[in-house]
Amino acid sequence: MGVTCVSQMPVAEGKSVQQTVELLTRKLEMLGAEKQGTFCVDCETYHTAASTLGSQGQTGKLMYVMHNSEYPLSCFALFENGPCLIADTNFDVLMVKLKGFFQSAKASKIETRGTRYQYCDFLVKVGTVTMGPSARGISVEVEYGPCVVASDCWNLLLEFLQSFLGSHTPGAPTVFGNRHDTVYGPADTMVQYMELFNKIRKQQQVPVAGIR
């Protein structure tokens, strides 16, 4: 895989999520991009079981268990502000056995599904982010295949992103700062999706007593 940028596309004014996705994919097709199947990335949140916390007011940790259709034999476990573990798909079974330590948060599953497009050396994925039955946002993933070092190709990625995202073109992902001159890997993409999903979750939360 190459260097990848994952971002959120805001819903166009007066349009629905689906209509905005269609506008975006139409732009890609006008550029000459060709459909290359579909994709899915999902994420389920687990929190530390209450029984494992001490009595000194400790706060539980969150762990995100994720899957990516690009890596069908792998499962990604990301800790909040921590490392990313790449395991095989049996990790899901292990999480059931670890329910005394980690418990699945209710209604926490979030996923993005959509179409893959190939344009020259770029692989573009435009997805609809859903929580339960509701569409919550739009994800855009762009991968530049020939390069594996972010600092060597960010300007090229940025130029391509601007060609169809315009004023909604994102800045460099935070993960690039950590791996500026090192080899980019699948875990870096999953960290970006985790950050995107958490951002969308927070956007859906209703403020309580004026406090977000």
Side-chain angles (χ1 to χ4, degrees), residues 119-169:
Y119 176 74
C120 299
D121 290 324
F122 294 97
L123 178 62
V124 185
K125 301 172 192 172
V126 180
T128 301
V129 181
T130 57
M131 291 176 68
S134 306
R136 302 293 190 179
I138 301 161
S139 67
V140 177
E141 175 189 333
V142 177
E143 176 188 333
Y144 179 61
C147 188
V148 292
V149 178
S151 59
D152 289 348
C153 64
W154 170 241
N155 288 336
L156 189 59
L157 258 174
L158 185 62
E159 189 178 331
F160 178 66
L161 284 161
Q162 288 170 339
S163 69
F164 69 99
L165 292 182
S167 61
H168 301 300
T169 301

Side-chain angles (χ1 to χ4, degrees), residues 34-107:
E34 297 182 356
K35 288 183 181 179
Q36 295 279 341
T38 58
F39 79 98
C40 176
V41 177
D42 66 62
C43 173
E44 193 156 354
T45 306
Y46 290 81
H47 58 81
T48 312
S51 59
T52 65
L53 298 177
S55 56
Q56 300 173 348
Q58 287 179 295
T59 55
K61 289 186 176 182
L62 295 177
M63 181 170 69
Y64 304 93
V65 177
M66 305 179 69
H67 304 89
N68 188 332
S69 56
E70 294 290 315
Y71 311 101
L73 300 180
S74 298
C75 178
F76 300 82
L78 291 83
F79 288 90
E80 194 175 31
N81 303 318
C84 174
L85 169 71
I86 303 177
D88 64 27
T89 48
N90 288 333
F91 190 80
D92 292 305
V93 178
L94 181 63
M95 288 307 298
V96 175
K97 295 183 178 181
L98 290 176
K99 62 184 178 183
F101 300 94
F102 285 98
Q103 295 177 344
S104 177
K106 290 182 179 177

